[in-house]
Amino acid sequence: MSDDFNNKRRDFLKSTAALGVAGMAPTVFVRNAWAQDFVNNPGKAAAITLGFNVPQTGPYADEGADELRAFKLAVKHLNGEGDGGMLNTMKPMALKGNGILGKKVNYVTGDTQTKSDAARASAKRMIEKDGALMISGGSSSGVAVAVQSLCHEAGVMFMAGLTHSNDTTGKDKRKYGFRHFFNAYMSGQSLAPVLAERYGTERKAYHLTADYTWGWTQEESIKNATEGLGWQTVETVRTPLGAGDFSQYITPVLDSGADVLILNHYGKDMVNSLTQAVQFGLRDKQVNGKDFQIVVPLFSRLMAQGAGENIKGILGSTNWNWALEDAGSQAFVKSFGQEYGFPPSQAAHTCYVQTLLYANAVETAGTFYPCEVISALEDFQFDGLGNGPTLYRGADHQCFKPVLVVEGNDNPSSQFDLLKVVKQVPTEQVMYDPSIFGGELGSCK
């Protein structure tokens, strides 16, 4: 990591500390000063309920299973059980390890099925029947956008899980929704310079794209970023979510004149499309006098496990990696490993962190009243939760932190050492004006 980035990191930490001190005074002054009632106000109840809405079936079920593991671990730590995990590293932090505002944390779960309608129905049940104060989860941006809208309408907090579409905190952003995960624009900005360095600026790319909000914005972002460096886009083809067999989409690539295949796929779809592309011999071909390359803009360790040998040498981007050496990441990996016997995925990481961030904002605000919790989260700067200093931008509720460019490991040291970090891209390289994606947050009810 460069000295310049280290200096900026120190400046960020100084501003974080100052904000933490400055933010304490008004919190104490207004604590318990509001009279408004709100949805599922726990009042004097001894416990509160959170709703964890994840894909337990469908093409993103592997991600969902790991998200649920992380949610359960977060609840355990919030209730003062286990080793505390990132409660030992987060700063600034108001949590005390005795639940949230002294109330025990319970949870309910649901299956989104990687379908927006099912996810909304599940979230609605959690709010209306289970009394959930906060909903989190999802591995599909289509699901995230749908549930975020529902929560906003209901006046309930939504702490998005794994969602990478620009739309989640862009045109579809909502006052009651917050995203810790990075987005497609950030993937494009971080990955494109590495692609140009590795493969040159005279490339012809063919895109296969999941046909929903995430795929559309991922394709747009990586296309704009690579074309800005000199690449040509030969073709963009949309594929249905959960297609399984991608052979009919891969065959035309062979005669297209493209020398790069960009797979804007995730979960089992990416595992299947990559495996079939390799079986078709694409990685062994030379086109336009160049070795043919495959790129996966959004990577995860779970996908790498599913793709096996096919992942080696392929570039992509991730939100977080279990091999990071910062104190927060190490604390989380240790806790998760002790609980489940293997390291967490980036999906698990973002869901665990989102749960802690919500709980900490409630503790800071001194109330579960969503408008005050939202105020505590907006423009909150923190560290100790992995990736380094992070800003939860108030203008669009998007987190900003360094982004990881990774590559399929040619010589893994274990079954989990599948992705190696080739570059940690500084936050300032992936920042953008919040107005570029449009949308309105709306107001707190």
Side-chain angles (χ1 to χ4, degrees):
M1 197 177 300
S2 69
D3 289 338
D4 181 54
F5 181 70
N6 282 325
N7 289 335
K8 286 174 179 166
R9 185 177 188 276
R10 282 192 290 271
D11 292 341
F12 199 123
L13 284 171
K14 287 177 183 176
S15 66
T16 298
L19 181 66
V21 173
M24 291 298 289
T27 300
V28 174
F29 180 76
V30 302
R31 185 178 293 268
N32 299 323
W34 41 83
Q36 297 96 328
D37 196 12
F38 55 93
V39 176
N40 297 331
N41 184 348
K44 296 181 179 180
I48 57 101
T49 299
L50 306 181
F52 301 141
N53 206 19
V54 303
Q56 299 184 49
T57 56
Y60 294 170
D62 289 345
E63 309 286 331
D66 224 33
E67 287 182 328
L68 196 51
R69 294 183 190 104
F71 282 134
K72 292 177 179 179
L73 185 61
V75 168
K76 187 174 183 177
H77 291 164
L78 289 173
N79 285 331
E81 303 167 9
D83 64 6
M86 285 181 165
L87 267 68
N88 298 310
T89 60
M90 180 182 177
K91 52 189 175 185
M93 189 185 74
L95 294 166
K96 303 175 180 66
N98 63 341
I100 306 177
L101 293 181
K103 298 181 186 294
K104 181 181 179 182
V105 181
N106 295 324
Y107 65 88
V108 292
T109 66
D111 181 9
T112 69
Q113 304 173 39
T114 321
K115 297 176 181 177
S116 297
D117 288 346
R120 282 178 66 98
S122 181
K124 191 170 186 289
R125 182 261 301 167
M126 291 175 175
I127 294 168
E128 295 181 354
K129 295 185 178 180
D130 300 314
L133 280 162
M134 181 272 278
I135 305 295
S136 187
S139 286
S140 156
S141 289
V143 163
V145 167
V147 175
Q148 179 171 259
S149 178
L150 172 78
C151 288
H152 180 81
E153 292 162 8
V156 171
M157 295 289 294
F158 176 65
M159 302 295 288
L162 194 160
T163 168
H164 191 242
S165 170
N166 294 333
D167 294 345
T168 308
T169 47
K171 73 178 185 65
D172 295 310
K173 59 180 171 276
R174 295 290 185 272
K175 190 71 169 179
Y176 285 77
F178 288 81
R179 171 166 58 180
H180 170 263
F181 207 74
F182 72 147
N183 64 21
Y185 175 89
M186 297 180 194
S187 284
Q189 295 303 303
S190 59
L191 185 57
V194 178
L195 294 177
E197 182 182 317
R198 289 283 188 94
Y199 306 140
T201 57
E202 297 180 359
R203 283 283 185 167
K204 296 182 177 181
Y206 193 111
H207 290 253
L208 292 182
T209 300
D211 193 12
Y212 74 105
T213 177
W214 167 67
W216 307 332
T217 66
Q218 178 60 84
E219 175 189 288
E220 177 186 40
S221 295
I222 196 71
K223 179 175 174 288
N224 290 344
T226 53
E227 287 181 353
L229 294 170
W231 286 29
Q232 296 179 40
T233 302
V234 174
E235 191 69 73
T236 59
V237 177
R238 303 288 167 82
T239 63
L241 186 63
D245 183 6
F246 290 90
S247 57
Q248 64 177 303
Y249 302 104
I250 294 171
T251 302
V253 179
L254 298 167
D255 300 316
S256 67
D259 46 50
V260 178
L261 173 60
I262 298 177
L263 295 175
N264 299 302
H265 290 156
Y266 197 73
K268 291 178 181 176
D269 281 357
M270 174 268 172
V271 171
N272 291 331
S273 62
L274 175 61
T275 299
Q276 290 163 21
V278 173
Q279 289 172 345
F280 272 63
L282 286 181
R283 297 194 75 182
D284 301 322
K285 291 188 175 296
Q286 272 213 339
V287 180
N288 305 322
K290 305 177 181 70
D291 291 339
F292 195 97
Q293 303 294 339
I294 301 176
V295 177
V296 178
L298 179 60
F299 251 148
S300 84
R301 179 182 57 78
L302 298 175
M303 288 157 51
Q305 281 181 235
E309 294 283 320
N310 300 322
I311 209 75
K312 291 185 175 181
I314 289 182
L315 289 167
S317 65
T318 63
N319 188 65
W320 178 82
N321 185 277
W322 70 273
L324 289 176
E325 296 181 353
D326 62 277
S329 295
Q330 290 183 332
F332 178 51
V333 170
K334 178 184 175 184
S335 293
F336 193 96
Q338 288 175 342
E339 191 79 8
Y340 301 112
F342 48 84
S345 65
Q346 64 174 354
H349 171 255
T350 203
C351 287
Y352 177 93
V353 168
Q354 283 284 72
T355 308
L356 263 57
L357 286 168
Y358 167 76
N360 187 71
V362 172
E363 200 80 38
T364 301
T367 179
F368 289 97
Y369 177 43
C371 295
E372 295 296 329
V373 178
I374 289 168
S375 294
L377 277 170
E378 288 181 333
D379 291 321
F380 180 51
Q381 297 179 24
F382 58 91
D383 199 358
L385 295 181
N387 296 83
T390 304
L391 166 69
Y392 233 138
R393 186 163 67 180
D396 54 2
H397 296 182
Q398 174 64 53
C399 267
F400 287 92
K401 54 194 180 300
V403 172
L404 306 179
V405 175
V406 294
E407 180 179 21
N409 202 339
D410 286 326
N411 298 294
S413 59
S414 73
Q415 61 179 312
F416 307 113
D417 181 31
L418 303 177
L419 299 175
K420 62 180 180 181
V421 178
V422 298
K423 187 174 184 180
Q424 187 164 341
V425 180
T427 305
E428 57 266 29
Q429 189 172 319
V430 299
M431 289 281 284
Y432 56 88
D433 187 318
S435 67
I436 68 171
F437 296 123
E440 296 289 338
L441 280 173
S443 59
C444 193
K445 298 177 178 60

